[in-house]
């Protein structure tokens, strides 16, 4: 895809590029979501992260259509929900998402959770490989997978996941999992890059000082840190001024001391569900 001028991008294992910054629409209701995505597109975002379970794919699709932006200038991700996992149901789930989104393909299709008690993620992965070969998903990946889940997929499949989308923020940095993924070329996407607002980022010792030194908000420091760590982000906000604030982190830099200081803030502060427990 064409990356917006001035925005960083990473290269997926398919050779395609992904804008490192996008907009996430978790918990944005259908009625509001079209306006939110249109605002995001207007201020310069070209990467949208949704999921079947967010129940807003249709609104995302309406915004894409109304924007008039050519399809190949957008990066659209959606996810396979747990109850659609399995060899018989996964392909139909993507068909439904494509129809709701009003697109012929997604740029990235993810298995949303391993849901280990269902034990269908390996079978689902083999279906995703077929969907990729058919061109319906330009890239395929996983979300909330731990090392053991990735290992099973790598053993059974013939495609290495392009992405693992995991909870990640300065208080929960996921170093061991990222170290496992990196040599395999699996890129990391962060969900909850601001800790979902479930703890005050200012509680992390020293983060406020870094924000003050750069004349930026503490949220901007957290987002900028992800970009410099090589992590893809799509912070969620429904407010246009915050969309602008978040996107503007592309044009300043944290120095080596800042990066070292933030590395020391890793404190196992998981705010979401543990992947082993996401068996809904
Ligand atoms: P987030 O860390 O992006 O936090 C969102 C919260 O931060 C919102 O309450 C918002 O009001 C606030 N916020 C945003 N910008 C701000 C700013 N500049 N200043 C102050 N507050 C600000 O959490 P998230 O929405 O859970 O994660 C981002 C995206 O990741 C989601 O929208 C979704 O697309 C994806 N996600 C995926 C999974 C998964 O299981 N794969 C789980 C959760 C989220």
């Amino acid at each position: 895809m064409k990356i917006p001028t001035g925005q960083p991008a990473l290269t997926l294992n398919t050779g395609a590029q992904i804008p490192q910054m996008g907009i996430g629409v978790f918990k944005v209701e259908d009625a509001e979501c079209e306006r939110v995505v249109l605002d995001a597109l207007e201020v310069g975002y070209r990467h949208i992260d949704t999921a079947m379970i967010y129940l807003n794919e249709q609104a995302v699709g309406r915004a894409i259509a109304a924007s008039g932006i050519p399809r190949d200038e957008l990066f659209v991700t959606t996810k396979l929900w747990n109850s659609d996992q399995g060899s018989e149901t996964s392909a139909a789930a993507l068909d439904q998402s494509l129809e709701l989104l009003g697109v012929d393909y997604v740029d990235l299709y993810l298995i949303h959770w391993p849901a280990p008690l269902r034990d269908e993620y390996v079978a689902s992965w083999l279906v995703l490989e077929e969907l990729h070969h058919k061109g319906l998903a330009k890239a395929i990946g996983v979300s909330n997978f731990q090392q053991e889940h990735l290992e099973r997929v790598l053993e059974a499949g013939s495609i290495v996941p392009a992405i693992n989308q995991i909870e990640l923020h300065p208080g929960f940095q996921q170093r061991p999992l990222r170290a496992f993924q990196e040599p395999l070329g699996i890129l990391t996407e962060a969900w909850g890059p601001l800790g979902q607002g479930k703890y005050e980022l200012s509680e992390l010792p020293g983060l406020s000082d870094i924000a003050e030194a750069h004349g930026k908000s503490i949220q901007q420091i957290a987002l900028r840190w992800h970009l410099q760590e090589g992590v893809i982000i799509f912070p969620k906000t429904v407010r246009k001024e915050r969309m602008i604030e978040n996107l503007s982190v592309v044009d300043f830099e944290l120095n080596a001391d800042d990066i070292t200081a933030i590395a020391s803030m890793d404190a196992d502060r998981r705010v979401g569900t543990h992947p082993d427990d996401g068996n809904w």
Side-chain angles (χ1 to χ4, degrees):
M1 74 167 282
K2 197 172 111 200
I3 303 298
T5 312
Q7 288 188 31
L10 297 176
T11 304
L12 298 167
N13 64 5
T14 56
Q17 285 203 298
I18 178 169
Q20 217 181 334
M21 171 71 93
I23 183 89
V25 293
F26 179 42
K27 291 197 171 160
V28 182
E29 285 183 14
D30 184 87
E32 196 182 19
C33 191
E34 180 178 350
R35 193 272 305 160
V36 167
V37 174
L38 274 170
D39 279 355
L41 294 172
E42 193 191 318
V43 304
Y45 291 83
R46 290 294 180 269
H47 169 183
I48 307 159
D49 184 89
T50 184
M52 172 75 84
I53 196 67
Y54 300 170
L55 302 176
N56 56 22
E57 289 171 302
Q58 206 161 20
V60 171
R62 286 196 302 271
I64 290 172
S67 75
I69 296 171
R71 176 68 187 89
D72 63 1
E73 292 181 20
L74 295 171
F75 193 100
V76 181
T77 299
T78 194
K79 312 185 192 88
L80 175 72
W81 185 240
N82 297 356
S83 56
D84 290 322
Q85 280 196 25
S87 53
E88 302 301 316
T89 41
S90 299
L94 179 57
D95 272 348
Q96 197 186 343
S97 286
L98 293 175
E99 191 168 334
L100 291 168
L101 288 162
V103 294
D104 299 328
Y105 65 89
V106 287
D107 297 276
L108 178 62
Y109 196 44
L110 303 177
I111 298 179
H112 204 146
W113 289 85
L117 294 184
R118 289 179 178 270
D119 199 16
E120 283 178 325
Y121 63 87
V122 173
S124 306
W125 181 256
L126 299 178
V127 178
L128 261 63
E129 291 192 349
E130 287 171 27
L131 297 171
H132 172 65
H133 290 309
K134 287 183 182 159
L136 299 174
K138 298 286 182 195
I140 52 176
V142 296
S143 177
N144 297 301
F145 275 40
Q146 303 193 95
Q147 182 172 330
E148 64 263 33
H149 310 127
L150 285 169
E151 281 168 346
R152 281 190 61 198
V153 159
L154 291 167
E155 195 182 316
S158 50
I159 298 178
V160 175
I163 292 280
N164 189 12
Q165 182 181 124
I166 53 177
E167 180 183 339
L168 176 58
H169 37 90
F172 187 56
Q173 300 185 12
Q174 298 260 28
R175 298 271 171 199
L177 185 53
R178 286 161 63 200
F180 174 74
Q181 293 174 179
E182 199 181 337
L184 296 164
I186 302 172
L187 297 183
T188 300
E189 290 188 338
W191 65 255
L194 300 170
Q196 295 189 311
K198 288 185 179 160
Y199 67 93
E200 294 295 333
L201 293 172
S202 58
E203 288 169 21
L204 298 173
L207 201 58
S208 303
D209 297 336
I210 296 174
E212 208 172 303
H214 287 274
K216 300 287 176 186
S217 71
I218 203 162
Q219 287 78 14
Q220 286 176 311
I221 299 299
L223 297 177
R224 179 68 211 179
W225 169 78
H226 284 87
L227 296 187
Q228 289 183 223
E229 290 282 303
V231 171
I232 298 152
I233 49 174
F234 22 81
K236 174 233 167 172
T237 179
V238 298
R239 288 162 54 173
K240 200 172 181 180
E241 71 276 12
R242 282 185 170 170
M243 293 176 193
I244 296 167
E245 176 186 338
N246 294 348
L247 191 58
S248 74
V249 306
V250 298
D251 55 19
F252 78 99
E253 240 178 89
L254 298 169
N255 61 39
D257 289 346
D258 300 330
I259 296 290
T260 306
I262 298 174
S264 74
M265 297 173 198
D266 194 4
D268 206 17
R269 293 185 86 137
R270 188 191 289 280
V271 297
T273 302
H274 189 287
D276 283 340
D277 300 329
N279 293 292
W280 308 279

